[in-house]
Amino acid sequence: MSNMALALSRDVLQGMQHFRIVIQPMVSAESGNVMGGEALLRWSFEGNDISPEIFIPMLEKEKLIQSVGRWVFDQTACCCMRLVTYIPDFYLTSNVSLQQLSDRQFTSFMKSTMEKYHVDGSHLVAEMTESCMDEQPEELFQFVNDCKAMDIKIALDDFGSGYSSLRMLLQYPSSVIKLDRSLLREMTESEDKMNFISSIVYACHRFGKQVCMEGVETGVQNALIRKCGCDMIQGYYYYRPMEIDDMYRLASIRFSNVQQNGKQG
Ligand code: C2E
Ligand code: CA
Ligand code: CA
């Protein structure tokens, strides 16, 4: 582990060596078409990808997540610039750790990065977990307000994975709610649980929030979740996280299909 921690710090300090971004598409629950995606960080150590669940906490512990978070945002904006040329209303989300809220210059960095790549904030979404939203309210509100001013949306990630409360859910300053995949496991068990998810979706919609279901893996889950009224779906059933070039290819195919349909219609 200490070898790994050393290599991780070295790779960050040497210009993000062995790091890359992959993208997992999100589809419309109604049509199954790709609408957006989530940028996910990858790091390889001795030739193998290490789970972010291992190396992200290490980056947080080593206080490196702020500089890594900036790099992730830069890569996200860069990929987004290209994807929007194929799918004009495409959006790309990226994850923001709690510690990044203490990076006072983060939002001005985001602004200059968006200018560098000529990407409008309406194509970007910052994902934050509940723990992010519960702590440091002042820093959170500053971040949220700065994002709002840049037209960047906030998504509440992993809802339902901990002691989530519906009251808080509706109060958090987010316009998208991502339901954790642990809810899916419960949902397929009984009709009551499925009604429970439908109620969450209904409440979110009443408060003007969109809902994305994460972790849909099977046709059965997909059929059930589509009945619950979710707006977006992200899961292996549709797409696994893919290398950036594969994502560009997928978007360009969607672009040609839309053009062809346009010509026929
Ligand atoms: P997350 O933000 O909840 O990201 C979704 C995770 O669920 C991804 O795992 C994705 O591969 C996985 N997933 C998607 N669909 C399915 C499915 O159908 N079934 C199953 N079993 N899993 C699915 P990944 O890429 O391993 O990332 C794990 C976590 O690491 C992320 O969870 C996020 O919390 C964190 N992470 C990843 N990239 C970043 C980053 O750039 N910054 C920060 N701060 N955290 C990141
Ligand atoms: Ca996420
Ligand atoms: Ca999540």
Side-chain angles (χ1 to χ4, degrees):
M1 210 51 159
S2 63
N3 271 353
M4 196 189 270
L6 277 174
L8 183 68
S9 304
R10 189 200 55 217
D11 282 353
V12 173
L13 299 173
Q14 292 183 350
M16 297 299 289
Q17 263 189 47
H18 306 121
F19 281 92
R20 70 188 197 284
I21 292 292
V22 294
I23 296 175
Q24 184 175 27
M26 293 179 195
V27 305
S28 151
E30 204 184 328
S31 65
N33 287 336
V34 176
M35 299 170 76
E38 177 173 7
L40 294 159
L41 188 58
R42 293 290 179 265
W43 175 63
S44 71
F45 173 61
E46 295 178 347
N48 297 312
D49 276 353
I50 305 298
S51 164
E53 275 157 18
I54 295 175
F55 74 79
I56 297 277
M58 288 164 78
L59 290 170
E60 288 171 343
K61 189 166 163 253
E62 298 297 325
K63 305 272 182 274
L64 291 169
I65 195 72
Q66 291 189 349
S67 61
V68 171
R70 286 180 180 216
W71 184 83
V72 168
F73 187 80
D74 181 281
Q75 297 292 299
T76 302
C78 179
C79 294
C80 192
M81 169 185 67
R82 186 148 164 203
L83 289 165
V84 167
T85 62
Y86 297 120
I87 306 174
D89 47 3
F90 189 86
Y91 54 83
L92 197 53
T93 76
S94 55
N95 294 282
V96 175
S97 281
L98 178 62
Q99 278 180 27
Q100 286 178 263
L101 299 184
S102 316
D103 177 357
R104 294 282 175 185
Q105 301 304 316
F106 185 43
T107 49
S108 49
F109 171 85
M110 290 163 83
K111 192 159 190 274
S112 55
T113 306
M114 282 157 53
E115 283 162 8
K116 176 167 89 174
Y117 295 114
H118 305 287
V119 174
D120 195 85
S122 58
H123 296 291
L124 297 167
V125 181
E127 294 197 8
M128 289 192 283
T129 56
E130 272 182 289
S131 59
C132 237
M133 300 212 180
D134 284 337
E135 288 176 48
Q136 303 167 309
E138 244 172 65
E139 289 177 347
L140 170 71
F141 284 110
Q142 185 64 51
F143 179 77
V144 169
N145 285 339
D146 289 352
C147 284
K148 215 182 223 169
M150 296 184 282
D151 213 11
I152 294 177
K153 284 200 183 93
I154 304 287
L156 173 65
D157 202 3
D158 301 343
F159 182 78
S161 62
Y163 296 98
S164 310
S165 99
L166 194 57
R167 187 176 59 83
M168 289 308 289
L169 166 74
L170 301 173
Q171 278 175 6
Y172 287 130
S174 59
S175 34
V176 181
I177 306 294
K178 296 188 78 175
L179 301 181
D180 192 71
R181 67 169 178 271
S182 57
L183 288 174
L184 260 185
R185 228 180 3 245
E186 295 181 14
M187 183 181 104
T188 37
E189 281 168 17
S190 77
E191 191 150 324
D192 274 357
K193 287 187 175 149
M194 195 174 134
N195 289 338
F196 174 66
I197 299 209
S198 301
S199 311
I200 297 178
V201 175
Y202 176 79
C204 288
H205 284 168
R206 285 296 298 263
F207 278 70
K209 296 170 190 284
Q210 288 190 306
V211 184
C212 174
M213 186 71 233
E214 291 192 288
V216 172
E217 290 182 352
T218 66
V220 172
Q221 289 176 338
N222 185 52
L224 285 172
I225 208 66
R226 290 186 63 188
K227 280 195 208 151
C228 290
C230 285
D231 304 284
M232 287 92 77
I233 302 177
Q234 179 181 353
Y236 295 169
Y237 178 71
Y238 289 95
Y239 301 99
R240 285 182 179 255
M242 53 176 83
E243 301 299 328
I244 286 170
D245 283 342
D246 293 330
M247 184 69 210
Y248 292 150
R249 218 163 289 133
L250 177 69
S252 74
I253 292 169
R254 166 121 191 255
F255 176 72
S256 347
N257 287 346
V258 169
Q259 284 214 315
Q260 238 156 28
N261 289 343
K263 272 185 204 149
Q264 282 163 5

